[in-house]
Amino acid sequence: MGYAVVDVETTGFAAGRSDRVVEIAVVSLDDVGRPTGEWCTLLNPGRDLGPQHVHRISAADVWDAPTFAQVAGTLARRLAGRVLVAHNLAFDARFLAAEFGRLGVDLAVDGLCTMRLAPLFLPGSARSLQSCCDAAGVVLDDAHSALHDARATGRLFAHYLRGGALDAPTVPWPRLPGDDVAEVRRGHATVAPAPVHVPLHPGDHVVFTGQMVEPRDVWISRAHAAGLVSRGYVTRATRLLVAADPFTLSGKARRARAYRVPIVSEGAFRSMVGSLHA
């Protein structure tokens, strides 16, 4: 039978609403916790990536990544017949159920949670993955990377299995059509935004999107000081969309691309505002 250790990175916490999975990893273990395989891919969520400062995934990374629907068959085959394991399983289970639910598959996702099991095997330890790994002598590299977190969770679970096998019901994962989809890993992206310089004039409309290095209200104040008009939404009259990540998949960016409104980085906008003052 064996186990399938899963970790997901997401755009936020609202699994049943607008948030989506942006990276998923599966580490397969045998009955005694030895790794027998691993699989990991980024996913294109079709929306902005949420807290990029946490998961450190760029929009360029997911630009040509598969959607969840495209990898669902591959994922289900890797999970089938194995007990699902995760650290804070409730979180991962909610997102897996929601993603499969969007495909018309209703699943009750269950398994074993290394966080909930921690008091039995690591008494006195805090419950975060890092704390549990520290208590068990497990190395956690590159936290908030789905593959690294799944690997560490697998090693943590193997530590638990030294006391004997742990059992739980397996999930009846659906049989979905489709060939295996190639994995897209972090850092694969070689594309870079083409340099864009848009001449600005007082009265031009600009829109901001994403969590920038400097607070958005600072940029809005600078735009106003330069005679520009800041709007909260993109229209055909918008001169420029300033994005924390020029590859962003946000709704504003999708509309800007539809209207052929240039999308520029924070640094490029700084240069354009400087030219306007000159």
Side-chain angles (χ1 to χ4, degrees):
M1 177 180 64
Y3 305 92
V5 184
V6 173
D7 189 81
V8 299
E9 297 299 322
T10 68
T11 63
F13 298 101
R17 298 197 293 275
S18 61
D19 284 315
R20 305 295 302 271
V21 175
V22 295
E23 185 180 37
I24 185 164
V26 180
V27 174
S28 302
L29 306 178
D30 66 14
D31 291 344
V32 295
R34 291 175 300 211
T36 58
E38 61 183 32
W39 175 85
C40 179
T41 189
L42 295 167
L43 298 172
N44 187 322
R47 53 150 289 170
D48 70 274
L49 291 169
Q52 288 175 268
H53 64 286
V54 175
H55 53 60
R56 307 181 311 281
I57 298 169
S58 72
D61 284 331
V62 304
W63 188 259
D64 56 359
T67 64
F68 187 90
Q70 290 170 322
V71 305
T74 301
L75 174 62
R77 288 190 287 274
R78 287 187 167 270
L79 299 177
R82 293 178 175 272
V83 173
L84 188 68
V85 178
H87 196 82
N88 192 7
L89 175 66
F91 179 85
D92 300 82
R94 282 198 306 273
F95 272 92
L96 288 173
E99 292 286 9
F100 276 104
R102 293 183 179 97
L103 303 179
V105 178
D106 187 18
L107 286 174
V109 180
D110 199 4
L112 294 170
C113 177
T114 52
M115 185 178 77
R116 293 179 66 88
L117 290 169
L120 296 176
F121 297 96
L122 303 168
S125 170
R127 301 179 72 182
S128 72
L129 179 57
Q130 183 67 69
S131 296
C132 288
C133 286
D134 289 345
V138 169
V139 175
L140 170 58
D141 295 317
D142 201 13
H144 295 295
S145 156
L147 184 56
H148 286 86
D149 284 357
R151 286 171 176 166
T153 301
R155 292 191 289 267
L156 177 64
F157 186 66
H159 177 81
Y160 294 178
L161 289 175
R162 292 173 187 169
L166 295 169
D167 198 15
T170 58
V171 178
W173 300 103
R175 292 188 176 183
L176 298 173
D179 297 330
D180 285 352
V181 176
E183 300 167 60
V184 175
R185 297 287 183 94
R186 290 175 180 241
H188 84 288
T190 58
V191 292
V196 176
H197 184 86
V198 180
L200 295 176
H201 307 281
D204 281 346
H205 291 192
V206 297
V207 178
F208 298 89
T209 187
Q211 187 173 357
M212 302 188 180
V213 175
E214 295 189 81
R216 187 176 300 185
D217 58 354
V218 171
W219 282 111
I220 291 174
S221 295
R222 288 173 180 164
H224 290 171
L228 303 172
V229 179
S230 173
R231 298 293 190 194
Y233 49 89
V234 174
T235 69
R236 294 183 188 279
T238 302
R239 180 63 170 162
L240 200 64
L241 176 64
V242 184
D245 183 340
F247 285 96
T248 178
L249 301 171
S250 71
K252 291 177 182 177
R254 290 198 299 272
R255 181 167 291 186
R257 292 184 184 106
Y259 293 160
R260 299 185 181 276
V261 173
I263 302 175
V264 303
S265 68
E266 188 175 354
F269 181 65
R270 179 184 292 108
S271 175
M272 293 174 200
V273 170
S275 298
L276 186 58
H277 283 303

